[in-house]
Amino acid sequence: MLRLTAAVLLTIAGTLWGWSRAAGLDRRLVICREAEMLLQSCDYLIRSRADDVYAICRELKRGSGFGSLSFISQLPDAFIPGHAFSDDWRNAVSGQDDMPPELSGLLIRFGSALGTSDITGQLSAIAVFSEELSHMTAGSEEDRRRLGRLYRTVGILTGMMAGIIVI
């Protein structure tokens, strides 16, 4: 009876491992999609209202739909003497631990470009970053589809094999 219980527990543990790895891929995709929304929001705010970086940050904080981008709450609301906006942006983005490194790098580069040129230059930069991010999102979708299924299957099978070995 003890071996049967151990076998069932090992099967459950393997299954949970596989599902948690697949959930990590889901989370990555959600973060990428929200980052796309962030760039679209910045594009809109610059294109329609010619907002400066601090007005953009205030609007992003007020907006909904960025639940997975927790770094937004750390962005500055107003100019602080002695603080460069790009440094504050980089520190905020770097403070979000669950962000994929390639997305973190892209957002840090985006924050460094934000507010450094005229409206046309900023919109051009946003277009470039959006294109790069759309490729990243497509890769995340493919990983989620392909690897998510693999992780779930391997988790179940590994748990079942460990359970059979115990029996």
Side-chain angles (χ1 to χ4, degrees):
M1 184 65 177
L2 186 60
R3 286 184 179 201
L4 183 59
T5 302
V8 169
L9 290 175
L10 286 171
T11 302
I12 290 171
T15 301
L16 290 176
W17 174 85
W19 281 89
S20 71
R21 292 295 303 244
L25 294 173
D26 292 342
R27 174 120 176 96
R28 176 184 168 157
L29 180 58
V30 167
I31 290 173
C32 284
R33 286 183 177 158
E34 287 185 13
E36 285 182 324
M37 288 175 34
L38 174 113
L39 292 181
Q40 290 170 358
S41 296
C42 290
D43 182 271
Y44 170 76
L45 292 170
I46 292 169
R47 184 181 306 276
S48 66
R49 300 189 333 197
D51 280 354
D52 68 356
V53 291
Y54 300 105
I56 290 171
C57 290
R58 286 190 298 273
E59 282 297 319
L60 292 175
K61 287 181 178 184
R62 270 189 279 198
S64 60
F66 301 117
S68 296
L69 299 178
S70 61
F71 78 90
I72 290 175
S73 66
Q74 304 301 314
L75 295 175
D77 288 335
F79 175 72
I80 302 169
H83 284 260
F85 174 78
S86 60
D87 293 340
D88 292 339
W89 180 280
R90 182 182 58 251
N91 292 337
V93 171
S94 299
Q96 184 167 340
D97 297 330
D98 63 343
M99 189 176 299
E102 63 274 4
L103 178 58
S104 179
L106 182 137
L107 288 176
I108 288 171
R109 288 186 290 122
F110 171 69
S112 295
L114 197 59
T116 59
S117 64
D118 63 351
I119 291 173
T120 306
Q122 289 185 77
L123 294 175
S124 296
I126 290 172
V128 170
F129 287 117
S130 293
E131 182 68 26
E132 188 176 341
L133 185 54
S134 70
H135 291 298
M136 196 179 298
T137 302
S140 291
E141 287 173 348
E142 176 62 23
D143 286 348
R144 178 181 169 251
R145 186 188 60 73
R146 188 175 42 85
L147 293 175
R149 187 179 318 140
L150 175 71
Y151 285 146
R152 286 187 291 273
T153 303
V154 167
I156 292 169
L157 292 176
T158 302
M160 290 174 70
M161 285 189 330
I164 290 170
I165 290 172
V166 168
I167 292 178

